[in-house]
Amino acid sequence: MISNMNQTVMDWPEGLDGNSFSGVARLANVSPRGARAAEILDRHRLLDCLAAYQPEVVGTLPLAIDTPESDIDILCNAPDLTVFSEFSDRAFGHFDGYRLHKRPATSHVAAALVVRFECDGLPVEIFATNCPTRSQYGFVHMLIEARILFVMGDEFARQVRELKQSGIKTEPAFAKLLGLSGDPYIELAELVSLSPPQLCQRLGVGGN
């Protein structure tokens, strides 16, 4: 997890700081599919239902680099996964395809509960772990990917979508295009501490 990402948030303009991603406003305006996802979240009050768990919508939909298979991804901070599992059964168990499983801890991510179901034709995935949502890799990756897309431009975004449609996951697609070596999830997360000029220099571009 990233513990110090907020230290440089104010270096970035509105739209590329962490606060700009909360709620569904950005999602509703980024693309037609994003607008549909935002409407589904509002209609079923999913974020309101999860309010006690610091929900954040993340992933490719808020970045408009989604594919037809993309989920509505929601991160949550759940100090007690057993309690969250019981809550999830009550709150979401009636949705089509509802299922959940516990994901063991890894060297970088604490144990998590992954909840999946379908809501009005779109798949939803909730990832809950005992960590503040804005420090979770899912949020950090979305934030740095938004900044990279901003400085790299539309052609780069097109190439990311193309790689994703070929079956490559988002973070490996970014790493491949940027020539990052090592674990793409770690390499990307480390870029979040860079200011706009530092990121442009790191990527070898002049910025927008």
Side-chain angles (χ1 to χ4, degrees):
M1 300 299 171
I2 305 300
S3 60
N4 63 348
M5 59 156 289
N6 287 326
Q7 292 179 3
T8 61
V9 160
M10 297 308 295
D11 292 340
W12 288 87
E14 184 177 358
L16 293 169
D17 64 332
N19 294 330
S20 299
F21 288 89
S22 290
V24 298
R26 180 190 180 101
L27 184 65
N29 292 287
V30 74
S31 70
R33 197 161 187 267
R36 182 184 171 209
E39 193 274 330
I40 288 171
L41 289 169
D42 276 344
R43 186 185 332 133
H44 293 277
R45 301 179 62 83
L46 294 184
L47 297 186
D48 289 341
C49 184
L50 291 163
Y53 298 99
Q54 303 174 355
E56 295 283 0
V57 181
V58 298
T60 56
L61 275 167
L63 301 177
I65 54 171
D66 52 290
T67 68
E69 293 76 32
S70 295
D71 299 332
I72 300 174
D73 292 316
I74 304 172
L75 298 181
C76 286
N77 177 11
D80 188 321
L81 294 184
T82 299
V83 170
F84 188 85
S85 174
E86 295 168 352
F87 157 79
S88 178
D89 287 344
R90 295 192 304 270
F92 310 120
H94 62 286
F95 284 107
D96 290 342
Y98 174 80
R99 61 199 187 280
L100 58 78
H101 74 274
K102 189 170 182 179
R103 201 182 87 163
T106 69
S107 57
H108 300 295
V109 181
L113 194 72
V114 182
V115 181
R116 294 187 175 96
F117 55 89
E118 188 170 292
C119 192
D120 293 349
L122 282 184
V124 176
E125 179 178 294
I126 300 171
F127 184 91
T129 192
N130 183 16
C131 180
T133 48
R134 292 192 183 186
S135 295
Q136 292 183 33
Y137 272 126
F139 189 88
V140 173
H141 288 152
M142 177 183 65
L143 189 58
I144 187 56
E145 286 159 8
R147 295 172 178 178
I148 291 169
L149 290 168
F150 176 75
V151 302
M152 296 298 289
D154 292 342
E155 174 59 19
F156 183 87
R158 185 196 66 76
Q159 292 174 354
V160 170
R161 291 189 201 96
E162 193 173 80
L163 286 177
K164 284 176 57 61
Q165 288 166 357
S166 73
I168 298 177
K169 292 186 176 296
T170 305
E171 284 73 23
F174 271 80
K176 179 180 177 66
L177 291 172
L178 296 173
L180 300 180
S181 59
D183 186 324
Y185 298 91
I186 303 300
E187 294 291 322
L188 278 172
E190 290 179 348
L191 298 178
V192 80
S193 63
L194 301 181
S195 67
Q198 288 171 335
L199 183 62
C200 288
Q201 183 178 29
R202 175 67 176 80
L203 300 180
V205 296
N208 286 348

